[in-house]
Amino acid sequence: MKVSDILLNYLLKHKTLPLPGLGVFNLTGSYAISEEDKKVILPAGAVEFILDPHTAEDPELISAIAAETVKFKPLASSDLESLILQGKQLMNISKPFLIEGIGTLQKNHRNEIEYIPLVDEINRHDTDLRLEEPGEAIRFDDNYLRPTARKGNNNKSRSITFALMMLAGIIILGLVGYYFYQQSRDRTVILEQPVTEDSSVNNFSTLPVPAPDSSKISLPADSATKAIVPLTIDSASFLVVVERAKKERALKRYADLREWGHKVIMSTQDSVDFKISFPIKAPLSDTARYRDSLSSFFGKKVWIEIK
């Protein structure tokens, strides 16, 4: 037999039921027994509960539990204590503590323990407003604060919100990618100029300055002298030196840059110090732009040499 059944039988027999640390149930009215299932029916107001945290353990109750469960009294006392402890834990998390056949203990909005008696569904009084509530019973596990009629609308609203968040995320990622693409594009120097490279393995000549184009030389028609008019050149050849190193380091660096797709040349004056350069064919006014761009790209200082 369960301890909760023993508590109900004890209350019916002794008209009182002390629960240690909680309070005392008192049977103040009459009760009936159902003919169908032989269950005890307690009318409204038949049981009262007096809250008293200082209620002591009742030896007679412990003896009744021990007799019904065929256990020693210390074990019976432990069973009752365990039941009450579980009930307190339920009430502390706003859950009801049900004592079968007697009623429910739970905490109200003032954090006070109150007793809610069980009422016979057939013989309950219409005037009992606290227990007679029209409409569907509230189910706490179904989130009763949410209107059921709007369930479909809520799902639709959630879908729209999720889609908008996904679209916003895609737009933000696109803007970030475009920003870094522009930054990389601004730092990249397009070096598609033709490079003249010596066939020798270890000696790399610098790009020669192109000979003046005679078609671009103009003389005044009325000039009586044979003075030469200065040559007009649209572009010039110059070098952007990115590294100066000894032979071993220079050869390795040159090989790495060529492998990475950079069209660089290597030159030396004394076979000791080597220079690695980008040959550029562009107006001399663009030297500063190429120098700054390559300096930013390699993260180190470079310089211009005009041949």
Side-chain angles (χ1 to χ4, degrees), residues 8-37:
L8 175 59
N9 294 335
Y10 188 87
L11 174 63
L12 298 178
K13 179 178 180 181
H14 297 274
K15 309 299 182 181
T16 184
L17 174 65
L19 296 181
L22 281 180
V24 180
F25 287 97
N26 291 319
L27 181 62
T28 58
S30 60
Y31 63 91
I33 299 178
S34 173
E35 296 181 357
E36 296 180 359
D37 50 11

Side-chain angles (χ1 to χ4, degrees), residues 87-102:
K88 288 182 178 180
Q89 291 174 348
L90 288 172
M91 290 187 289
N92 288 336
I93 60 174
S94 302
K95 297 291 185 179
F97 173 32
L98 174 63
I99 304 176
E100 294 183 11
I102 299 176

Side-chain angles (χ1 to χ4, degrees), residues 22-154:
L22 281 180
V24 180
F25 287 97
N26 291 319
L27 181 62
T28 58
S30 60
Y31 63 91
I33 299 178
S34 173
E35 296 181 357
E36 296 180 359
D37 50 11
K38 304 302 180 180
K39 285 187 177 181
V40 176
I41 300 175
L42 296 174
V47 178
E48 66 175 4
F49 175 72
I50 301 175
L51 179 65
D52 184 6
H54 301 290
T55 302
E57 186 178 80
D58 183 8
E60 291 187 15
L61 176 59
I62 300 301
S63 299
I65 295 175
E68 293 291 342
T69 59
V70 194
K71 293 182 179 180
F72 293 107
K73 289 184 178 181
L75 293 178
S77 176
S78 177
D79 290 345
L80 179 61
E81 181 181 358
S82 176
L83 177 65
I84 295 174
L85 179 60
Q86 292 177 5
K88 288 182 178 180
Q89 291 174 348
L90 288 172
M91 290 187 289
N92 288 336
I93 60 174
S94 302
K95 297 291 185 179
F97 173 32
L98 174 63
I99 304 176
E100 294 183 11
I102 299 176
T104 301
L105 295 178
Q106 64 182 30
K107 288 188 176 181
N108 56 23
H109 63 281
R110 295 187 299 272
N111 204 32
E112 298 175 349
I113 297 177
E114 63 178 3
Y115 166 61
I116 300 177
L118 296 178
V119 179
D120 179 25
E121 295 293 334
I122 300 176
N123 299 322
R124 69 166 60 185
H125 299 286
D126 295 335
T127 57
D128 190 357
L129 299 180
R130 185 167 68 92
L131 298 176
E132 182 70 26
E133 296 182 359
E136 183 181 359
I138 295 176
R139 299 182 181 275
F140 291 91
D141 56 344
D142 291 336
N143 193 1
Y144 68 94
L145 295 178
R146 181 179 61 193
T148 55
R150 299 182 180 179
K151 184 175 181 181
N153 294 334
N154 286 342

Side-chain angles (χ1 to χ4, degrees), residues 23 51 110-111 128 158 165 179 185 201 212 225 230 286:
L51 179 65
R110 295 187 299 272
N111 204 32
D128 190 357
R158 288 179 182 176
M165 292 177 62
Y179 170 78
R185 184 178 180 184
V201 176
T225 65
D286 289 343

